[in-house]
Amino acid sequence: MDVRAVVLAAGKGTRMRSARPKVLHRVHGLPLLEYPLRALAGAGVSRVAVVTGHEAEAVERSFAGRGFTFVRQDPPRGTGHAVMVAREAIAGADTVLVVNGDLPLLRAESLRALLARRAAGDAAALLSVTLPDAGAYGRVVRGADGGVARIVEARDASPEERAIGEINVGVYAFAADALERALATLRPQNAQGEYYLTDVVAAIAAGGGRVSAVAAADADEGRGVNTVAELAAATALRRAARLHGLMEAGVAIEDPASTWVSEDAVVAADAVLRPFTVIDGASRVEAGAVLGPFVRLESASVGAGATVLDHCLLRECQVEQGATIGPFAHLRPETVIEPGAKVGNFVELKKTRLGAGAKAPHLTYLGDAVIGPKANIGAGTITCNYDGHAKHPTAIGAGAFVGSNSTLVAPVTIADGAYVGAGSVITKDVPADALAVSRPSQVVKEGWARRRRESRGKH
Ligand code: UD1
Ligand code: CA
């Protein structure tokens, strides 16, 4: 069966009351449109046309480079019109899946169930759920034979039809030829003056094609997002499902109520997520790592047995096994903390490699630096990596010792085993095993303080 999909993403999403197109609003960290696209991929459907219209460029940019075909619908004149403009993209298919772009809880299994109905000979199959209060959804009207006779939109429904609890989710599998013929019959004669895709169902049924409704495995799959509140409700469901899955797999989540783990993060069994831990983006957390409380990762990785203590932010960086971070550390992009290294409180690292077993325990900024294994970076050490125009590197060798409150003016190298005296401003390279001290030498004036006190007492 040659299956192609059309995903509808051209609508403005008026009820969001936002300048941003609805399908780019985020549900649990990902754009709304990502979810139906992932469901299609999960069902093995790879030829996907996305219909864009409102803010089309922004939508296309967000999903570029992934093999989708974009079709412009300008202006959007209804869901039926959206499929009409995608005709070329689906030409030659046997079966066309049409999926509303605003379904954040849709599952691949449901798409497969619709394709199975098509394989069994139905001219069309649509996904439905039954709700206690069907609200603004389109209602599934069944004929005498139990098959689907038509879909009626809530605003066009009679009171009897409005009482129907079975709703149209907005996911359909059509025989391509039946769809093609039915689209030609659509007229915008309804409450919204739009071409309704849902009218295709009645046309196919009236022409003798069998139309079935497949109940979704989970009623939440029917949640189409139209408002900001529905967006938040979908996020809550996605988030709960995600945390539940991780706990089932052995991740120790101490407080699910305050923990977030993105859809794309990978967290191993026996990782410990303490309260208020937020793992965003494509982060990785290995077994035995302990994070939190109050830690955020943004596409960062934390190795086995590493510890990230309270109030740390780790962005696009890598913490290797057994390292210790925080409390109150900020690790910025391209930072690598090698095994067993330690980053302490009020330390910021940017584009810096801290060697195995090295330590930067307190109050330090290290930027564009490479620090060898077992080096010790004293409290208050600052790399001056920026001269107002360009960034410059600092190299600190294995086992080097940088005394507290030192200023390293880059580009500069402190070679293996060298010492820097506390409070130094280092502007020249320090050879291996040398001591560099650069500060005014100390002056001691014997009895000065006593003389001062005594002279004051006279007046
Ligand atoms: C639609 C269905 C309704 C169903 C509901 C499920 C129609 C006529 N009605 O209603 O039966 O219960 O979804 O959530 O289809 N879109 C376009 N171009 C357009 C209009 C819409 O691409 O011209 C896209 C939107 O971006 C959105 C999807 O189609 O992703 C659904 O549109 P929306 O306006 O939300 O449809 P509903 O009124 O909710
Ligand atoms: Ca909708």
Side-chain angles (χ1 to χ4, degrees):
M1 201 158 60
D2 180 353
V3 180
R4 316 263 181 98
V6 180
V7 179
L8 309 187
K12 184 158 186 282
T14 312
R15 288 163 280 178
M16 298 296 290
R17 312 219 182 283
S18 162
R20 214 177 339 153
K22 177 167 84 173
V23 293
L24 292 188
H25 279 267
R26 287 182 181 263
V27 170
H28 200 220
L30 295 174
L32 179 49
L33 182 57
E34 186 69 40
Y35 292 96
L37 293 174
R38 286 189 183 194
L40 283 164
V45 180
S46 57
R47 304 180 72 172
V48 178
V50 179
V51 181
T52 61
H54 179 70
E55 293 288 329
E57 270 147 43
V59 177
E60 290 168 13
R61 218 179 307 120
S62 296
F63 293 89
R66 292 171 54 183
F68 304 123
T69 303
F70 295 104
V71 180
R72 290 279 175 100
Q73 185 197 14
D74 187 20
R77 296 168 67 195
T79 49
H81 180 245
V83 179
M84 289 178 197
V85 301
R87 258 189 194 136
E88 256 174 57
I90 55 184
D94 307 314
T95 294
V96 178
L97 278 170
V98 179
V99 181
N100 281 2
D102 58 359
L103 296 169
L105 292 137
L106 180 64
R107 298 185 188 182
E109 297 94 281
S110 294
L111 297 173
R112 282 195 224 104
L114 295 182
L115 292 176
R117 291 308 314 159
R118 265 290 298 138
D122 293 1
L126 58 92
L127 197 64
S128 75
V129 302
T130 300
L131 301 176
D133 172 10
Y137 289 105
R139 309 298 203 264
V140 177
V141 181
R142 288 179 181 268
D145 62 351
V148 177
R150 59 194 187 94
I151 307 287
V152 60
E153 291 306 294
R155 357 181 163 209
D156 302 302
S158 66
E160 297 74 41
E161 287 166 337
R162 216 165 302 172
I164 296 172
E166 186 178 22
I167 64 115
N168 169 37
V169 169
V171 179
Y172 322 76
F174 294 107
D177 49 358
L179 174 64
E180 173 85 45
R181 282 194 300 274
L183 283 174
T185 68
L186 293 190
R187 300 287 176 270
Q189 282 149 7
N190 49 55
Q192 297 191 90
E194 290 185 349
Y195 292 90
Y196 284 172
L197 178 62
T198 44
D199 289 345
V200 154
V201 168
I204 293 174
R210 192 165 73 209
V211 183
S212 57
V214 174
D218 174 1
D220 287 328
E221 284 184 83
R223 287 174 181 258
V225 170
N226 297 305
T227 65
V228 173
E230 286 167 2
L231 197 70
T235 292
L237 289 164
R238 273 280 172 192
R239 176 176 166 226
R242 178 79 174 118
L243 295 177
H244 182 77
L246 290 167
M247 290 186 282
E248 292 276 282
V251 177
I253 296 177
E254 292 183 354
D255 178 28
S258 66
T259 304
W260 293 73
V261 179
S262 71
E263 298 287 329
D264 291 337
V266 177
V267 184
D270 287 322
V272 179
L273 307 186
R274 309 213 48 208
F276 295 95
T277 292
V278 176
I279 300 180
D280 285 336
S283 294
R284 274 193 91 84
V285 180
E286 304 294 347
V290 181
L291 270 55
F294 296 98
V295 161
R296 186 158 83 89
L297 267 51
E298 199 182 284
S299 297
S301 68
V302 177
T307 304
V308 184
L309 295 168
D310 316 36
H311 299 283
C312 290
L313 172 59
L314 278 61
R315 294 158 50 210
E316 294 163 46
C317 64
Q318 190 179 326
V319 172
E320 294 180 347
Q321 63 189 67
T324 306
I325 311 297
F328 298 98
H330 184 189
L331 306 190
R332 293 168 50 200
E334 294 182 61
T335 289
V336 178
I337 310 298
E338 291 186 358
K342 179 181 161 65
V343 171
N345 25 211
F346 308 107
V347 173
E348 174 183 350
L349 274 74
K350 187 220 80 171
K351 208 175 182 179
T352 286
R353 175 174 283 270
L354 187 63
K359 291 179 184 170
H362 335 267
L363 300 159
T364 286
Y365 171 64
L366 300 169
D368 302 292
V370 176
I371 295 150
K374 296 258 166 70
N376 187 88
I377 309 298
T381 298
I382 303 291
T383 54
C384 303
N385 59 327
Y386 184 52
D387 60 11
H389 299 283
K391 303 283 167 69
H392 302 285
T394 299
I396 299 173
F401 182 98
V402 178
S404 294
N405 199 34
S406 292
T407 301
L408 312 177
V409 182
V412 73
T413 296
I414 295 156
D416 292 356
Y419 263 63
V420 170
S424 292
V425 177
I426 299 297
T427 55
K428 287 179 265 184
D429 290 353
V430 182
D433 300 319
L435 166 68
V437 190
S438 116
R439 63 185 183 224
S441 44
Q442 187 170 329
V443 174
V444 176
K445 296 186 177 175
E446 291 290 349
W448 182 91
R450 185 179 359 96
R451 286 196 295 278
R452 181 165 180 269
R453 274 193 307 275
E454 288 168 357
S455 76
R456 282 199 171 171
K458 280 182 189 161
H459 300 291

